């Protein structure tokens, strides 16, 4: 009887905490799909990415290697994770699931799953240096109606985009995610910080349409997938 009473009290005491969203928090849950795809990332304001000399040399090496086969795009060849920000430019749909303490982003492409902790601080370098991830370690918080996702602790095995744009393991990204067009669209503006590859921080913007009329499908390397020809830019390089 006593244990049952304690359990009831514990559940009641937790209920307000779990039920109370952050001020301005929005319901971003559902399926979203880009309407435009670019193989080469498009920085806000246009122009080229602000490479350091090392970054420019690495980009040239990657482009030449992808052309002659000496560099492999493992994300397309072996379905390794695309990393951030490349994953944000996916021509395939993804789903956002919001639960207490966590936002989960499930991508159809490569079955990539991003776990965004909503109840933890950004991990320190000491915490992530031993375990670098393809998609980094992500934490989020709300600023008004915008979900801010900060990611650190990346490995250097991914590209910034499909053309081979490089990054180092010093990469840090900040995504600002919000609904637009009365909730019919979703906007993500990502800011990239990588002093090894770029002379300054830069940003890129991605827009998606709500598509709760579809469900995510299986994605298997080497097998046919859903038709994505309706996404403008697909098949053009």
């Amino acid at each position: 009887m006593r244990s049952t009473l304690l359990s009831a009290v514990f559940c009641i005491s937790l209920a307000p905490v779990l039920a109370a969203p952050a001020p301005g928090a929005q319901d971003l849950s559902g399926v979203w799909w880009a309407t435009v795809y670019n193989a080469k990332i498009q920085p806000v304001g246009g122009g080229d990415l602000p490479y350091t000399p090392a970054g420019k040399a690495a980009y040239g090496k990657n482009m030449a290697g992808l052309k002659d086969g000496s560099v492999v795009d493992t994300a397309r060849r072996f379905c390794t994770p695309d990393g951030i920000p490349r994953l944000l430019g996916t021509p395939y749909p993804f789903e956002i699931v919001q639960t207490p303490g966590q936002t989960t982003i499930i991508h159809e492409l490569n079955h990539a799953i991003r776990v965004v902790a909503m109840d933890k601080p950004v991990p320190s370098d000491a915490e992530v240096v031993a375990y670098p991830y393809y998609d980094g370690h992500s934490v989020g918080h709300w600023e008004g109606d915008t979900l801010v996702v900060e990611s650190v602790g990346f490995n250097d095995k991914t590209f910034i985009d499909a053309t081979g744009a490089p990054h180092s393991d010093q990469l840090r990204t900040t995504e600002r995610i919000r609904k637009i067009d009365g909730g019919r669209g979703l906007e993500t503006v990502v800011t990239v910080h990588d002093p090894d590859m770029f002379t300054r921080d830069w940003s890129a913007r991605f827009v998606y349409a709500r598509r709760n009329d579809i469900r995510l499908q299986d994605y298997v390397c080497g097998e046919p997938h859903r038709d994505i020809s309706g996404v403008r830019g697909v098949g053009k390089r």
Side-chain angles (χ1 to χ4, degrees), residues 65-76:
L66 288 171
K67 186 175 181 179
D68 67 22
S70 61
V71 173
V72 175
D73 184 354
T74 59
R76 298 289 77 81

Side-chain angles (χ1 to χ4, degrees), residues 28-170:
L28 305 180
S29 59
V31 176
W32 305 91
W33 198 351
T35 57
V36 177
Y37 169 75
N38 286 292
K40 185 174 183 178
I41 198 164
Q42 306 295 304
V44 173
D48 295 324
L49 298 184
Y51 290 111
T52 62
K56 188 174 182 179
Y59 188 29
K61 180 180 178 181
N62 286 348
M63 286 193 295
L66 288 171
K67 186 175 181 179
D68 67 22
S70 61
V71 173
V72 175
D73 184 354
T74 59
R76 298 289 77 81
R77 180 79 63 85
F78 304 116
C79 284
T80 57
D82 282 77
I84 308 299
R86 185 180 182 184
L87 186 59
L88 305 179
T90 175
Y92 287 86
F94 62 91
E95 185 170 2
I96 297 178
V97 180
Q98 292 169 282
T99 52
Q102 180 172 304
T103 297
T104 306
I105 308 174
I106 306 168
H107 285 265
E108 183 169 294
L109 181 65
N110 291 358
H111 280 310
I113 298 177
R114 295 186 63 200
V115 175
V116 180
M118 301 296 295
D119 54 359
K120 297 179 181 179
V122 178
S124 66
D125 291 343
E127 292 176 291
V128 300
V129 69
Y131 300 100
Y133 288 175
Y134 282 87
D135 292 329
H137 300 253
S138 300
V139 299
H141 67 274
W142 288 93
E143 293 183 4
D145 64 353
T146 301
L147 174 60
V148 179
V149 178
E150 299 174 80
S151 300
V152 299
F154 293 89
N155 64 39
D156 60 359
K157 299 178 181 179
T158 64
F159 299 140
I160 290 287
D161 64 15
T163 70
H167 70 82
S168 74
D169 59 5
Q170 297 303 301

